Amino acid sequence: MTRTHHLHPFTALTAAVGAAVVTTAAASWPLSAAVAVAAAILAVRGGVAGRVLSAAAVILVPLCLSLLVLHGLFFPEGHTVLAEWGPARVTAEGLEFALELGTRTTACVLVFLLFSFTVSVPDLLSALAARRIPPQFGFVLASTLTLLPAVAGRLDRIRQAQEARGMVVRGGLLSRMGTLRLQMVPLVLALMDDAGSRAQALDARGFGNAGPRTSYRDVADSTAQRRFRAAALVLTAAAVVARLVVSWPAGVTR
Amino acid sequence: MSKPALTVPAPGQAAGRSRRLLEIAGAAAIAATYVFLVLTQPADIANGPASFSALVALGGFLLGAVLLIIAVLPVLPTSTLVLIPVALVLNVVLGQLMGSTGLPFYIDAIGTVLIGVLAGPAAGAATGALSSIVWSFFNPTVLPFAAGAALIGFLAGMAARWGLFRRFYFVPIAGFVTGIIAGVISAPIAAFVFGGTSGLGTGAIVSAFRAMGDTLLAAITKQALISDPMDKAIVFTIAALLAYALPRRTTFQFPFVRRFRVLAGKSPAAPDA
């Protein structure tokens, strides 16, 4: 699909984590905005812009609005008052704080969403299995990602079946809770029953056994990518250490 | 290669001890991070966007969550492990269903609590932390709250172990207490990493406390003390209702439920008196 397909999943993950951590450590809104824009450009070039940006908008719009209202209107630490209505004071410091945190969260969310929407999950799983990550982690990740769409379909079928038996999704709170129960109990029961049979099938295939795992998939890795990952980790660690040293609490409280 | 292993080797005593140490280290990392953040919270957040505290909060809480996962995950029986994806899906889907009723609560831990009740505190903690990590694939902002989610699963398991789920009226109380603890622990994440909460209702409560001159951490902690206990009481109640609605055959297949008599009533194998 894109060039990200040639990237080892860990390279993309390291880059995403590194970008997020460095952005957090740097604490400067121009850098955060630049990272966010870069992530958006990469998403457009990767052909996942629609999904990344819509998922990010759902998360970020309420958060940023809330930050703007909270710090824009109520920031007792602020000194430069721009406007005042009763208890609410618009201060320059408050707006700057909202801008800093808003851009920082935006950058981190975009970077991680770009990673999760471009990574090939099978590649990621075999890369995880090749490392000393417990195989159970890979199972939980893969199983959840495949279960989510299946459950949405199942819930739809349960709703239809209950509606065929006379369930009406309208009315007051109590009747709403009643219809909720009619849908939740069959869903939970069916999912747990499925899980039980899945556990038996997995155990029969030796899933619970200790020891190393092998994988059919071989994820291509290269020396350049290994070097990039090492460099990114060193850079990230340096950024964290620099931030910790610069603003160690003794220096903050003065 | 003198004796080929035909059976699965039993986990040794040393392995068990190191796992216990990892669990303790994980819990200690979370607790120490919280204490450190509260003691060193920047007196004047206007000086910068709390970058130092954000890094400490992220690092400490995620380290704790990862240690807990490493300690617990490999020893979970397969029957419990396959429930973790189910729990995560339930967290999401039931949360959305509850949202469709128009109630002003952010109910997103039903599956975690259910696993804690059925499979014990360790499984609950692992489920909570893993839920956050896997869910962050779609919403990265839940990742920093992994430690809080692990705590909710752990406390749900402890409540079940102490028999609080045997009587219906104890359940909301257990949820209320869990909400207080989990809300207070999660407050530094909301304050230092995100600088606020994302909901309009919660944001209004934080604004009110800020208007009275509280620091950001204090305002968000007070907001958490208002919304979280109620939210978790509802979550615990729903999880209990689900556990009661499940057939005995399903619930009593969990060793934890049998051993600690988590739910009132006899095992289905026992003859009815």
Side-chain angles (χ1 to χ4, degrees):
Chain A
M1 188 167 45
T2 60
R3 75 175 60 193
T4 48
H5 247 56
H6 305 296
L7 279 184
H8 190 272
F10 285 165
T11 310
L13 183 61
T14 315
V17 171
V21 171
V22 169
T23 310
T24 306
S28 93
W29 70 263
L31 178 71
S32 306
V35 170
V37 170
I41 291 172
L42 283 176
V44 171
R45 289 183 57 180
V48 289
R51 290 165 63 212
V52 167
L53 293 181
S54 62
V58 171
I59 303 163
L60 291 171
V61 168
L63 183 71
C64 289
L65 277 180
S66 171
L67 282 179
L68 197 62
V69 171
L70 173 59
H71 300 300
L73 295 180
F74 306 97
F75 201 74
E77 290 88 352
H79 305 295
T80 326
V81 181
L82 302 177
E84 202 165 355
W85 303 283
R89 295 188 312 152
V90 180
T91 60
E93 287 86 356
L95 290 176
E96 196 188 330
F97 189 77
L99 177 70
E100 295 268 12
L101 283 166
T103 48
R104 185 171 91 189
T105 309
T106 305
C108 293
V109 165
L110 281 175
V111 160
F112 278 116
L113 283 179
L114 177 66
F115 163 74
S116 56
F117 285 162
T118 50
V119 75
S120 141
V121 174
D123 277 356
L124 178 64
L125 291 180
S126 25
L128 285 174
R131 298 301 165 100
R132 310 251 310 272
I133 314 278
Q136 287 91 344
F137 179 76
F139 167 77
V140 170
L141 184 62
S143 180
T144 308
L145 295 182
T146 47
L147 209 57
L148 261 176
V151 165
R154 179 162 234 160
L155 195 62
D156 209 43
R157 284 205 302 281
I158 291 174
R159 192 179 46 77
Q160 286 176 0
Q162 298 287 33
E163 277 174 348
R165 290 182 194 123
M167 182 186 80
V168 184
V169 196
R170 265 178 211 293
L173 187 65
L174 272 182
S175 99
R176 271 170 184 268
M177 297 299 274
T179 59
L180 211 57
R181 190 183 150 273
L182 284 178
Q183 296 172 69
M184 271 157 82
V185 173
L187 178 72
V188 175
L189 188 55
L191 285 177
M192 301 215 12
D193 202 47
D194 278 3
S197 31
R198 210 174 303 131
Q200 287 176 359
L202 283 167
D203 265 342
R205 287 158 181 78
F207 179 74
N209 294 5
R213 303 292 202 271
T214 52
S215 172
Y216 283 126
R217 290 180 76 92
D218 199 19
V219 185
D221 201 357
S222 61
T223 325
Q225 292 195 44
R226 263 186 225 109
R227 283 201 191 120
F228 170 79
R229 290 203 292 267
L233 284 179
V234 169
L235 186 71
T236 308
V240 172
V241 169
R243 166 54 65 185
L244 292 187
V245 168
V246 166
S247 46
W248 191 253
V252 172
T253 45
R254 260 177 279 209
Chain B
M1 300 299 130
S2 55
K3 59 170 188 179
L6 294 177
T7 53
V8 182
Q13 196 79 30
R17 200 177 304 129
S18 70
R19 292 203 187 291
R20 179 62 55 179
L21 279 179
L22 274 178
E23 278 173 39
I24 293 169
I30 294 170
T33 307
Y34 178 76
V35 171
F36 182 82
L37 284 173
V38 171
L39 290 182
T40 67
Q41 63 167 310
D44 188 4
I45 53 170
N47 271 348
S51 179
F52 171 82
S53 304
L55 285 176
V56 173
L58 282 174
F61 283 159
L62 283 181
L63 176 73
V66 168
L67 284 177
L68 283 177
I69 291 176
I70 294 175
V72 174
L73 200 55
V75 289
L76 283 183
T78 312
S79 58
T80 306
L81 191 75
V82 291
L83 281 179
I84 294 181
V86 172
L88 170 54
V89 170
L90 287 180
N91 284 348
V92 175
V93 172
L94 295 189
Q96 283 172 355
L97 264 183
M98 288 303 296
S100 73
T101 61
L103 290 172
F105 288 107
Y106 184 68
I107 289 165
D108 60 347
I110 297 173
T112 306
V113 172
L114 192 62
I115 302 301
V117 170
L118 294 178
T127 306
L130 273 173
S131 281
S132 302
I133 291 179
V134 175
W135 189 237
S136 68
F137 265 66
F138 307 98
N139 183 352
T141 54
V142 302
L143 182 63
F145 294 104
L151 196 64
I152 290 166
F154 175 80
L155 290 175
M158 290 313 282
R161 189 165 167 171
W162 292 329
L164 294 179
F165 276 77
R166 262 175 242 155
R167 294 282 173 272
F168 182 72
Y169 39 83
F170 284 137
V171 171
I173 302 172
F176 199 84
V177 175
T178 303
I180 292 176
I181 302 173
V184 168
I185 286 280
S186 298
I189 290 285
F192 298 134
V193 179
F194 298 113
T197 54
S198 91
L200 277 181
T202 50
I205 300 174
V206 178
S207 301
F209 284 119
R210 288 287 280 164
M212 295 177 215
D214 276 337
T215 63
L216 187 59
L217 179 60
I220 289 183
T221 305
K222 286 177 185 169
Q223 175 269 319
L225 284 178
I226 290 175
S227 3
D228 281 34
M230 203 58 208
D231 181 61
K232 293 302 172 290
I234 293 173
V235 166
F236 270 51
T237 308
I238 295 171
L241 287 175
L242 285 174
Y244 298 155
L246 290 174
R248 293 274 168 82
R249 187 172 60 83
T250 309
T251 49
F252 275 79
Q253 78 189 7
F254 292 96
F256 178 76
V257 172
R258 290 198 303 269
R259 186 166 160 213
F260 295 100
R261 230 167 49 80
V262 167
L263 304 168
K266 288 198 179 76
S267 144
D272 279 351

